[in-house]
Amino acid sequence: MTGTIETPVVAERLVKRFGSFTAVDDVSFRIARGEIVGFLGPNGAGKSTIIRMLCGLLRPSEGRARVAGFDVAREPERVRENIGYMSQKFSLYTDLTVAENLRFFGGIYRVPRAVLPERMGFAVEMAGLRHRENMLVSTLAGGWKQRLALGCAILHRPPILFLDEPTSGVDPESRRRFWDLIHDLSADGVTVLVSTHYMDEAEYCNRVALIDRGRLIEMASPSALKQHTLGGDLLVVECEGMGTAMAALHEAPGVRDVAAFGNSIHILVESAGAALAALPDYLAGCGVRVTRIEQIKPTIEDIFVQMIGAEARAEGPRP
Amino acid sequence: MRSRRLQAVAVKEVLQIWRDPISLMIALLMPFMQMILLGYGVSLDVKHLPICVFDREASQNSQALLKRFQASEYFSIVAGFDNYRDVTRALDRGLCRLVVVVPTDFTERLTDTGRSAVQALVDATDDNTANIAIGYAQAVVTGFSSTVLIEASALAGSTVAVLQPIAAQSRVWFNEDLESRNFIIPGVVALVMALVGAQLTSLTISREWERGTMELLVSTPVTPMELMLGKLLPYFAIGLLDAVFCLAFAVFWFDVPFRGTLMTLFFTTSLFLTVVLGIGYLISTGIRRQVGAAQIGLLVTLLPTTLLSGFAFPIDQMPPAVQAVTYIVFARYYVTILKAVFLKGSGILDLTAPILAMIIYAGIIAFLAARAFRKRLD
C-alpha cells in the first residue's frame, strides 16, 4: 500500500516556467508520512504552482517529483488516485446539493458502495452540515463550503492531501475548526501539504516552507526557525516619531535589523538585556520619546521579513 | 475505463441540466419552436398566388379564360381593373404578383387566325416565385386553348376524333401531393438535432472552466474518456428524445408520410447524434468561455445545416464549387437519409453510401474528441 511510504512527497529541483517568467525556481524538499507542512509566502510567490505540479495538473519544466511513489509527470493518474486536492476557490458544484456533491466525488474516486453512506455521513458530520444534506451548495456560507470541500477531498481516504489556500476568505472561527480537522487527519497518518498566506497559521504546522519569488528560502519547524534563523533577540519599540526613530535605530550599537510593524518597530538585537538598558537613553538623545520597549517572542512573520531582507541584501538589487 | 466514474459524471451532468433553465429550454422547448417555425414558415409552394385581371374585351371567351385562372388552385383573383394605371399601381403596391391582361381583339383574332395571345405582367422581385407563376399561367392558358380546339372541331362537325398531341400523363412518386412541406420537414428534424446537440454540448466543458470546477476534475483520477462519455451520454438520450418528438410532430401534426422503419431512423439518428455531440464537445474543449463556445457551436452546425445540407435548397442546383463543399457538411448525409426514409421508405441497405459517409465522419470526430481534452491546466 502506498500509505506506508515513509516519504510520500519528494521534490527534486523543480522548475516551472511560463514563457520567460520563472514561477518556481529550483525547489527541492521531502515530506514525511503524517507530517503537516505549510507553504508560506505572499501571493504570487509560487506556492500554488508547486502544489499543482505535485498533483500532476502542471508539468514541471525541469526537475522531478514523486508523490505516493509515482512520478507526477509520467504517472499522473496513479498520483491522483492517492491524493486529495482542494484549491483556492471552493471547488464544489454549487448547483448541486451537499449530498449530490459527496456522491459525485464518491463515484469519481470509486469509494466502495458499501462504505459510501458511512463516509458521506462522516463528511457531513465533519463539515457540520447534518440536516443540510439537501441544500444547494450555492446557499451555504463560506466556512461550510470550505469544510465540505475538505470532506469531498478526503472521501476516498487519500494518504496525501494537498490544500491550496484552503482558508482564504474564511472567518477566524472557521479557520480554527478547519485546522483542528487537519490535525485529526494527520494523527491518522495522512500527509498534509497546505499553502497559506496567513502567517499565523504556520504555528499549526510541523514544518513550514518559506517561499518567495519562486524560491524555497527555508524549511524547518516553526520553533527551529525562530531560534536559529533570527540569530538574536527581538524587541518591540513604540514611540513618537517613527521615522526619526527608525533612522536612529539603524545606527544604534548592537542593533542588527529594524522593521516597521504597523505602529510599532521590531528590532533585532545581539542581546536583549544590554539593549533594554542602553536604547531608551540613546533614543532620548536622538530626540525620540519612547512609550514602550520590551522583548517579544518572534512570530513567523518576523522570521519571514528578516529572511527575505537578508536574501535581498545578499543578492544585491534585483534588475 | 471505469463505469463507476462514467456513471458519476453522467448523473452529475443530468442534475446540472435539470437545474439549468437555459439548458432545459434548449433541450425541450427549442425542438418544438423549430418545428413550428420551420414547418409553417418555410414553404416553397406557389399556391393561391394573388393575381389581378384586366379584361379589355369582356367577352364570353375572355371570361371563360379568366374563370380558368380563378378555378386553378395556384391563383386567386383579388381584383379586376379597367386601365393600365391601376394595374401598374397594384403591382407596385404588391397587391398582386401577376396581372393577366386580355387584349381587346382576343376573340376576333382567335376566330380569324386561330391564334391569339394574352399578356401576363409579373412582379419578378422574387424570381423563383415569378418563374413558377409564369409556368402555372402558361399551363392554364394551354389548358384553355386545347378546350377551344376541341370545341371548334366539334362545331365544324368533324367526326374524326380530334388529334391531340401526345399527352404526358405524369405521375409523381414519393411526394404525391407535391407538397414542399413533405420535402422540408424531414430536414427540419436534422436541423433540430444539430442545433440542440451542438448547443448543449458546446457548453458542457466550458462551463467547468468558467466555474473553476475544471481544476478539481483534472485533479481526480477520472480519465478523459470517462469524462467525455459521461458528459455526452445524457445529451445523447436528450437527442434521441427530441428525435422521437420531432418524428411524432412531423407525422401526426404535419401529416408528413413516414414510410421507412423506425429501426433505420434510430440507427442513422444515433450516428448523426454522435457526430453532432462530438463536434459540440470538440468546440467546448477548445473554447473556455460558454458564450464563445455557444456561438461557434451555432456557426458550425446551424449555418451549414440550413444552407448546405439540401434541407430546403436542393444541392444539385448549387454551383459545382458549392456542391463540392457540401460533401464535408455532415448534415447533408443525414438529410438525404431522412428524406429517403420518410418519403421513399428506404432501408439501411438502400442508404449504404450516406450511412458509410456518416460512419467515417463519426469515427473521425470521436477520435478527435477523445484526444481533444488533456488533463492538464497548462
Side-chain angles (χ1 to χ4, degrees), chain A residues 138-157:
Chain A
S138 56
T139 63
L140 296 178
W144 273 330
K145 277 190 207 167
Q146 169 219 41
R147 289 193 293 271
L148 178 62
L150 180 67
C152 289
I154 61 167
L155 209 56
H156 56 299
R157 299 278 154 89

Side-chain angles (χ1 to χ4, degrees), chain B residues 335-349:
Chain B
V335 167
T336 308
I337 291 169
L338 277 176
K339 287 184 173 168
V341 173
F342 263 89
L343 301 176
K344 294 199 259 184
S346 307
I348 290 177
L349 289 179

Side-chain angles (χ1 to χ4, degrees), chain A residues 4 17 59 62 67 73 85 95 101 110 122 124 159 168 197 201 238 241 262 304 317:
Chain A
T4 55
R17 288 187 209 93
R59 183 180 277 273
E62 277 172 39
V67 170
Y85 172 67
D95 51 350
N101 265 289
R110 297 194 296 132
F122 171 77
V124 165
S168 71
H197 60 262
E201 292 190 340
E238 284 173 18
F304 199 69

Side-chain angles (χ1 to χ4, degrees), chain A:
Chain A
M1 230 344 250
T2 45
T4 55
I5 289 181
E6 283 312 310
T7 42
V9 181
V10 179
E12 285 166 8
R13 316 209 64 167
L14 277 181
V15 176
K16 181 64 187 179
R17 288 187 209 93
F18 296 108
S20 61
F21 172 67
T22 306
V24 174
D25 189 3
D26 197 12
V27 167
S28 306
F29 57 86
R30 304 165 80 83
I31 299 177
R33 193 172 101 85
E35 230 186 336
I36 302 176
V37 170
F39 273 30
L40 247 67
N43 286 323
K47 308 184 296 285
S48 297
T49 308
I50 296 174
I51 291 182
R52 286 175 173 172
M53 283 192 282
L54 294 177
C55 296
L57 301 183
L58 295 174
R59 183 180 277 273
S61 307
E62 277 172 39
R64 35 188 238 119
R66 293 175 77 77
V67 170
F70 300 106
D71 188 290
V72 297
R74 271 185 256 124
E75 296 177 284
E77 297 307 326
R78 301 303 304 273
V79 169
R80 287 177 189 131
E81 284 172 13
N82 287 286
I83 62 167
Y85 172 67
M86 184 182 155
S87 79
Q88 285 173 341
K89 286 178 245 162
F90 297 122
S91 15
L92 296 164
Y93 289 98
T94 52
D95 51 350
L96 301 191
T97 66
V98 171
E100 285 161 356
N101 265 289
L102 287 166
R103 219 170 284 128
F104 172 69
F105 287 103
I108 286 287
Y109 284 108
R110 297 194 296 132
V111 175
R113 283 181 206 277
V115 299
L116 186 57
E118 179 215 316
R119 299 262 181 102
M120 281 175 62
F122 171 77
V124 165
E125 205 64 48
M126 181 193 88
L129 285 166
R130 185 191 265 263
H131 304 307
R132 289 191 171 83
E133 290 93 334
N134 294 319
M135 277 176 75
L136 286 181
V137 168
S138 56
T139 63
L140 296 178
W144 273 330
K145 277 190 207 167
Q146 169 219 41
R147 289 193 293 271
L148 178 62
L150 180 67
C152 289
I154 61 167
L155 209 56
H156 56 299
R157 299 278 154 89
I160 305 160
L161 258 182
F162 291 105
L163 309 172
D164 189 5
E165 304 213 349
T167 53
S168 71
V170 177
D171 63 90
E173 166 61 17
S174 295
R175 276 168 60 193
R176 203 186 49 72
R177 278 192 66 180
F178 191 81
W179 277 100
D180 287 343
L181 294 174
I182 293 185
H183 276 273
D184 292 346
L185 289 168
S186 156
D188 292 339
V190 177
T191 308
V192 182
L193 198 165
V194 52
S195 76
T196 178
H197 60 262
Y198 294 118
M199 297 291 172
D200 57 321
E201 292 190 340
E203 314 281 350
Y204 297 116
C205 303
N206 300 131
R207 278 195 299 160
V208 290
L210 302 181
I211 295 169
D212 182 53
R213 284 172 291 192
R215 313 264 299 260
L216 177 67
I217 296 170
E218 183 61 87
M219 190 168 179
S221 73
S223 52
L225 266 184
K226 287 173 199 166
Q227 279 168 16
H228 298 297
T229 54
L230 220 47
D233 295 333
L234 196 69
L235 301 186
V236 62
V237 178
E238 284 173 18
C239 59
E240 283 165 15
M242 287 232 330
T244 323
M246 282 185 70
L249 285 168
H250 271 297
E251 308 301 325
V255 173
R256 289 189 177 157
D257 201 11
V258 183
F261 268 72
N263 292 326
S264 54
I265 303 167
H266 287 195
I267 53 174
L268 186 65
V269 295
E270 282 159 13
S271 144
L276 281 172
L279 281 179
D281 290 342
Y282 171 79
L283 284 170
C286 299
V288 175
R289 203 168 73 82
V290 177
T291 53
R292 177 187 168 213
I293 181 164
E294 58 184 316
Q295 187 174 4
I296 52 166
K297 282 188 177 169
T299 63
I300 292 292
E301 197 162 0
D302 290 307
I303 314 291
F304 199 69
V305 166
Q306 205 261 331
M307 294 195 74
I308 289 176
E311 170 142 303
R313 278 194 295 275
E315 282 182 11
R318 289 202 176 215

Side-chain angles (χ1 to χ4, degrees), chain A residues 16 52 56-59 72-73 76-77 80-81 85 87 89 91-93 95-97 100 104-111 113 116 136, chain B residues 2 4-5 7-9 12 15-16 19-20 207-224 375-378:
Chain A
K16 181 64 187 179
R52 286 175 173 172
L57 301 183
L58 295 174
R59 183 180 277 273
V72 297
E77 297 307 326
R80 287 177 189 131
E81 284 172 13
Y85 172 67
S87 79
K89 286 178 245 162
S91 15
L92 296 164
Y93 289 98
D95 51 350
L96 301 191
T97 66
E100 285 161 356
F104 172 69
F105 287 103
I108 286 287
Y109 284 108
R110 297 194 296 132
V111 175
R113 283 181 206 277
L116 186 57
L136 286 181
Chain B
R2 299 289 183 170
R4 181 80 191 282
R5 288 198 286 249
Q7 189 195 331
V9 175
K12 184 217 78 164
L15 288 168
Q16 285 189 311
R19 299 222 171 95
D20 176 21
R207 190 190 291 137
E208 307 264 4
W209 281 116
E210 216 167 86
R211 296 185 185 171
T213 45
M214 183 49 85
E215 185 162 334
L216 193 74
L217 268 184
V218 174
S219 78
T220 70
V222 70
T223 67
K375 278 188 68 187
R376 285 202 186 278
L377 298 174
D378 55 349

